[in-house]
Each structure stands twice: as C-alpha cells, then as structure tokens.
Amino acid sequence: MQTKTMPQLNELYREIILEHYRKPCGREPLDKVDYHAEGTNPLCGDEVKIGLQIKNNKIEKVYTEGHGCSISIASGSILADILRGKTLEEAKKISEYLKCTMQWKNNNFCDDVGDLRALEGVKKFPVRIKCALLPWTTFEEALMGHDRIEIS
Ligand code: FES
C-alpha cells in the first residue's frame, strides 16, 4: 500500500494542490455525457470517474469524481478546471504535457497549463506519479471509448 501523505513539494504548489483537494472542481453531474471512463490505481484501489460533454469539438463541461489521495483528487480537479473550453486537440496536448513532465521529458510544447504546474514537483516522487496521472490517463481512455481502466 502506498503512503497517502503529501510529498514534500514547493510550499506554493503544495497550497494549490491542497486547495484543489479541499474544494475540487468538476463535481457537478452532467446532463449529457459524450465520453466517460472510470480509472483505478490497482496498487492502492483509488478511483476516479471522468465525464465529458463536447460541443463543436470543444469540451463544454467536465465532470470528475472519485476517492483517492490528495494528489489524485487535486489532479482531477485541475483537469476539470483547465480542460473546460479547450478543443480536444488542446486537451490532449495538455495531457501529453503532464506525461512528459512526469517522465522528465521536454514539456516546452505547451504553455497554457495553469495550476497543472503545481504537480510538476511530483515527478521527484516516483511512487506518486501514478496518482497525478490517474485522472489524465482516464481522460485519454474516455476519449478512446474505454469505460474502465486500470493504470499500470
Ligand atoms: Fe492511490 Fe494516490 S495513493 S492514487
């Protein structure tokens, strides 16, 4: 079982993450769901649900819900906050940004990432990388039409 305590992150970023954890964005259920998936981290059993409402190739509304550690909940909240109004292409690019960040790869191709920068420090804690990626991997799987995934 992984520890669910917060890793030692930069103080400002830590506050941003805790704020998203305490008051997560995207908790309002959608009246229409175009893409949906549930993701699980099999190591800890934490789960996240992602629902998307699309209009004219843009993400009009995002629903996220789940139970998990502060990092996974905050990451889902940031996802809901940042993806609203984005085209699907822009959203995939932002998701790619986070994956590259966690793998210490070049992430300079994307500037418009808002509070997602607060998760950058998580890459120093390999055991927590899955926590940060869980909502985003679930989001990508939802776009591919997969209902349920386990991240590996
Ligand atoms: Fe389970 Fe973070 S400890 S997703």
Side-chain angles (χ1 to χ4, degrees):
M1 179 73 74
Q2 296 179 5
T3 175
K4 294 199 175 190
T5 56
M6 279 274 282
Q8 291 304 307
L9 301 173
N10 163 302
E11 195 58 34
L12 171 64
Y13 286 170
R14 188 181 165 87
E15 272 311 306
I16 292 171
I17 290 168
L18 285 175
E19 191 61 23
H20 277 283
Y21 176 62
R22 290 188 197 114
K23 290 188 220 150
C25 305
R27 290 297 166 102
E28 194 175 319
L30 306 181
D31 47 359
K32 173 175 94 66
V33 180
D34 295 303
Y35 296 97
H36 170 266
E38 295 181 22
T40 306
N41 181 346
L43 291 180
C44 59
D46 289 348
E47 293 177 341
V48 64
K49 294 178 184 170
I50 303 284
L52 304 167
Q53 195 175 106
I54 311 293
K55 192 171 180 185
N56 298 329
N57 195 43
K58 282 195 173 173
I59 299 175
E60 193 162 66
K61 293 181 186 170
V62 184
Y63 171 74
T64 67
E65 193 252 307
H67 63 85
C69 64
S70 52
I71 299 288
S72 66
I73 298 297
S75 183
S77 172
I78 295 169
L79 178 150
D81 188 36
I82 199 172
L83 294 192
R84 227 174 323 121
K86 299 283 192 294
T87 64
L88 292 177
E89 289 69 31
E90 289 167 337
K92 287 180 201 166
K93 194 171 163 188
I94 293 169
S95 190
E96 191 60 28
Y97 159 88
L98 185 62
K99 279 194 288 187
C100 286
T101 301
M102 292 300 143
Q103 295 166 5
W104 297 80
K105 290 182 181 169
N106 177 16
N107 63 4
N108 289 337
F109 54 84
C110 193
D111 293 327
D112 185 15
V113 296
D115 284 351
L116 210 48
R117 291 213 189 282
L119 291 173
E120 284 190 9
V122 173
K123 68 184 179 188
K124 291 182 276 180
F125 306 91
V127 78
R128 307 308 299 276
I129 289 174
K130 275 187 184 181
C131 309
L133 291 178
L134 178 61
W136 294 87
T137 307
T138 306
F139 158 74
E140 290 184 356
E141 294 290 329
L143 290 185
M144 288 191 280
H146 301 152
D147 285 344
R148 180 164 276 282
I149 61 136
E150 285 193 349
I151 62 165
S152 53

